[in-house]
PDB file of all heavy atoms in Angstrom:
ATOM      1  N   PRO A  26      13.096  -8.258   4.119  1.00 47.00           N
ATOM      2  CA  PRO A  26      12.854  -8.461   2.693  1.00 47.00           C
ATOM      3  C   PRO A  26      11.498  -7.896   2.299  1.00 47.00           C
ATOM      4  O   PRO A  26      10.592  -7.794   3.117  1.00 47.00           O
ATOM      5  CB  PRO A  26      12.888  -9.986   2.531  1.00 47.00           C
ATOM      6  CG  PRO A  26      12.641 -10.526   3.889  1.00 47.00           C
ATOM      7  CD  PRO A  26      13.139  -9.502   4.864  1.00 47.00           C
ATOM      8  N   PRO A  28       7.783  -7.777   0.560  1.00 47.00           N
ATOM      9  CA  PRO A  28       6.762  -8.826   0.533  1.00 47.00           C
ATOM     10  C   PRO A  28       6.910  -9.760  -0.666  1.00 47.00           C
ATOM     11  O   PRO A  28       6.596 -10.927  -0.573  1.00 47.00           O
ATOM     12  CB  PRO A  28       5.457  -8.039   0.467  1.00 47.00           C
ATOM     13  CG  PRO A  28       5.775  -6.731   1.106  1.00 47.00           C
ATOM     14  CD  PRO A  28       7.216  -6.457   0.730  1.00 47.00           C
ATOM     15  N   GLN A  30       9.659 -10.857  -1.864  1.00 43.00           N
ATOM     16  CA  GLN A  30      10.732 -11.795  -1.609  1.00 43.00           C
ATOM     17  C   GLN A  30      10.334 -12.860  -0.602  1.00 43.00           C
ATOM     18  O   GLN A  30      11.010 -13.852  -0.440  1.00 43.00           O
ATOM     19  CB  GLN A  30      11.961 -11.045  -1.112  1.00 43.00           C
ATOM     20  CG  GLN A  30      12.536 -10.119  -2.166  1.00 43.00           C
ATOM     21  CD  GLN A  30      13.543  -9.162  -1.586  1.00 43.00           C
ATOM     22  OE1 GLN A  30      13.540  -8.896  -0.392  1.00 43.00           O
ATOM     23  NE2 GLN A  30      14.392  -8.622  -2.443  1.00 43.00           N
ATOM     24  N   SER A  45       9.318  -2.461  -9.828  1.00 68.00           N
ATOM     25  CA  SER A  45      10.088  -3.405 -10.624  1.00 68.00           C
ATOM     26  C   SER A  45      11.181  -4.016  -9.764  1.00 68.00           C
ATOM     27  O   SER A  45      11.798  -3.317  -8.959  1.00 68.00           O
ATOM     28  CB  SER A  45      10.719  -2.672 -11.811  1.00 68.00           C
ATOM     29  OG  SER A  45      11.673  -3.476 -12.437  1.00 68.00           O
ATOM     30  N   PRO A  58      -0.023   8.133  -5.951  1.00 89.00           N
ATOM     31  CA  PRO A  58       0.195   9.030  -4.812  1.00 89.00           C
ATOM     32  C   PRO A  58      -0.999   9.015  -3.860  1.00 89.00           C
ATOM     33  O   PRO A  58      -2.150   8.948  -4.292  1.00 89.00           O
ATOM     34  CB  PRO A  58       0.355  10.403  -5.466  1.00 89.00           C
ATOM     35  CG  PRO A  58      -0.364  10.293  -6.763  1.00 89.00           C
ATOM     36  CD  PRO A  58      -0.244   8.849  -7.186  1.00 89.00           C
ATOM     37  N   TRP A  65      -9.260  10.867  14.142  1.00 79.00           N
ATOM     38  CA  TRP A  65      -9.485  11.222  15.534  1.00 79.00           C
ATOM     39  C   TRP A  65     -10.887  11.792  15.648  1.00 79.00           C
ATOM     40  O   TRP A  65     -11.182  12.839  15.068  1.00 79.00           O
ATOM     41  CB  TRP A  65      -8.447  12.228  16.016  1.00 79.00           C
ATOM     42  CG  TRP A  65      -8.510  12.494  17.474  1.00 79.00           C
ATOM     43  CD1 TRP A  65      -8.099  11.676  18.474  1.00 79.00           C
ATOM     44  CD2 TRP A  65      -9.044  13.653  18.108  1.00 79.00           C
ATOM     45  NE1 TRP A  65      -8.332  12.247  19.690  1.00 79.00           N
ATOM     46  CE2 TRP A  65      -8.917  13.485  19.483  1.00 79.00           C
ATOM     47  CE3 TRP A  65      -9.626  14.828  17.637  1.00 79.00           C
ATOM     48  CZ2 TRP A  65      -9.342  14.419  20.403  1.00 79.00           C
ATOM     49  CZ3 TRP A  65     -10.041  15.767  18.557  1.00 79.00           C
ATOM     50  CH2 TRP A  65      -9.901  15.551  19.921  1.00 79.00           C
ATOM     51  N   LEU A  72      -0.954  13.398   8.186  1.00 92.00           N
ATOM     52  CA  LEU A  72       0.341  12.901   8.641  1.00 92.00           C
ATOM     53  C   LEU A  72       1.419  13.021   7.568  1.00 92.00           C
ATOM     54  O   LEU A  72       2.597  12.983   7.885  1.00 92.00           O
ATOM     55  CB  LEU A  72       0.232  11.432   9.065  1.00 92.00           C
ATOM     56  CG  LEU A  72      -0.646  11.144  10.266  1.00 92.00           C
ATOM     57  CD1 LEU A  72      -0.750   9.644  10.493  1.00 92.00           C
ATOM     58  CD2 LEU A  72      -0.107  11.831  11.510  1.00 92.00           C
ATOM     59  N   ASN A  74       2.427  12.306   3.066  1.00 94.00           N
ATOM     60  CA  ASN A  74       2.123  11.709   1.770  1.00 94.00           C
ATOM     61  C   ASN A  74       2.811  10.365   1.636  1.00 94.00           C
ATOM     62  O   ASN A  74       3.737  10.055   2.386  1.00 94.00           O
ATOM     63  CB  ASN A  74       2.582  12.629   0.641  1.00 94.00           C
ATOM     64  CG  ASN A  74       1.856  13.955   0.661  1.00 94.00           C
ATOM     65  OD1 ASN A  74       0.641  13.998   0.812  1.00 94.00           O
ATOM     66  ND2 ASN A  74       2.593  15.042   0.524  1.00 94.00           N
ATOM     67  N   ALA A  83      -7.765  -6.372  -0.842  1.00 89.00           N
ATOM     68  CA  ALA A  83      -7.744  -6.421   0.626  1.00 89.00           C
ATOM     69  C   ALA A  83      -6.771  -5.453   1.287  1.00 89.00           C
ATOM     70  O   ALA A  83      -6.796  -5.294   2.498  1.00 89.00           O
ATOM     71  CB  ALA A  83      -7.415  -7.835   1.079  1.00 89.00           C
ATOM     72  N   LYS A 105     -11.180   9.485  -2.490  1.00 88.00           N
ATOM     73  CA  LYS A 105     -11.737   8.389  -1.688  1.00 88.00           C
ATOM     74  C   LYS A 105     -10.822   8.100  -0.514  1.00 88.00           C
ATOM     75  O   LYS A 105      -9.634   7.856  -0.674  1.00 88.00           O
ATOM     76  CB  LYS A 105     -11.902   7.135  -2.562  1.00 88.00           C
ATOM     77  CG  LYS A 105     -12.337   5.907  -1.805  1.00 88.00           C
ATOM     78  CD  LYS A 105     -13.739   6.050  -1.306  1.00 88.00           C
ATOM     79  CE  LYS A 105     -14.155   4.801  -0.555  1.00 88.00           C
ATOM     80  NZ  LYS A 105     -15.327   5.039   0.242  1.00 88.00           N
ATOM     81  N   LYS A 141      -9.546  -1.382 -11.028  1.00 74.00           N
ATOM     82  CA  LYS A 141      -9.643  -1.504 -12.482  1.00 74.00           C
ATOM     83  C   LYS A 141      -8.858  -0.407 -13.178  1.00 74.00           C
ATOM     84  O   LYS A 141      -8.142  -0.652 -14.136  1.00 74.00           O
ATOM     85  CB  LYS A 141     -11.108  -1.479 -12.917  1.00 74.00           C
ATOM     86  CG  LYS A 141     -11.860  -2.730 -12.519  1.00 74.00           C
ATOM     87  CD  LYS A 141     -13.317  -2.651 -12.891  1.00 74.00           C
ATOM     88  CE  LYS A 141     -14.045  -3.883 -12.409  1.00 74.00           C
ATOM     89  NZ  LYS A 141     -15.481  -3.823 -12.664  1.00 74.00           N
ATOM     90  N   TYR A 143      -6.362   1.489 -11.773  1.00 69.00           N
ATOM     91  CA  TYR A 143      -4.958   1.410 -11.396  1.00 69.00           C
ATOM     92  C   TYR A 143      -4.253   0.237 -12.055  1.00 69.00           C
ATOM     93  O   TYR A 143      -3.042   0.278 -12.259  1.00 69.00           O
ATOM     94  CB  TYR A 143      -4.793   1.321  -9.877  1.00 69.00           C
ATOM     95  CG  TYR A 143      -5.268   2.551  -9.151  1.00 69.00           C
ATOM     96  CD1 TYR A 143      -5.849   2.455  -7.911  1.00 69.00           C
ATOM     97  CD2 TYR A 143      -5.155   3.814  -9.714  1.00 69.00           C
ATOM     98  CE1 TYR A 143      -6.294   3.578  -7.233  1.00 69.00           C
ATOM     99  CE2 TYR A 143      -5.597   4.940  -9.056  1.00 69.00           C
ATOM    100  CZ  TYR A 143      -6.169   4.826  -7.814  1.00 69.00           C
ATOM    101  OH  TYR A 143      -6.610   5.927  -7.154  1.00 69.00           O
ATOM    102  N   GLU A 152       3.841 -11.481 -11.488  1.00 44.00           N
ATOM    103  CA  GLU A 152       3.527 -12.514 -10.508  1.00 44.00           C
ATOM    104  C   GLU A 152       2.975 -13.758 -11.199  1.00 44.00           C
ATOM    105  O   GLU A 152       2.304 -13.659 -12.216  1.00 44.00           O
ATOM    106  CB  GLU A 152       2.495 -12.018  -9.522  1.00 44.00           C
ATOM    107  CG  GLU A 152       3.007 -10.989  -8.585  1.00 44.00           C
ATOM    108  CD  GLU A 152       1.994 -10.696  -7.480  1.00 44.00           C
ATOM    109  OE1 GLU A 152       0.887 -11.229  -7.521  1.00 44.00           O
ATOM    110  OE2 GLU A 152       2.337  -9.934  -6.607  1.00 44.00           O
TER     111      GLU A 152
END
Side-chain angles (χ1 to χ4, degrees):
Q30 295 167 338
S45 168
W65 188 74
L72 295 175
N74 297 314
K105 174 68 180 164
K141 290 177 183 176
Y143 296 146
E152 289 189 355

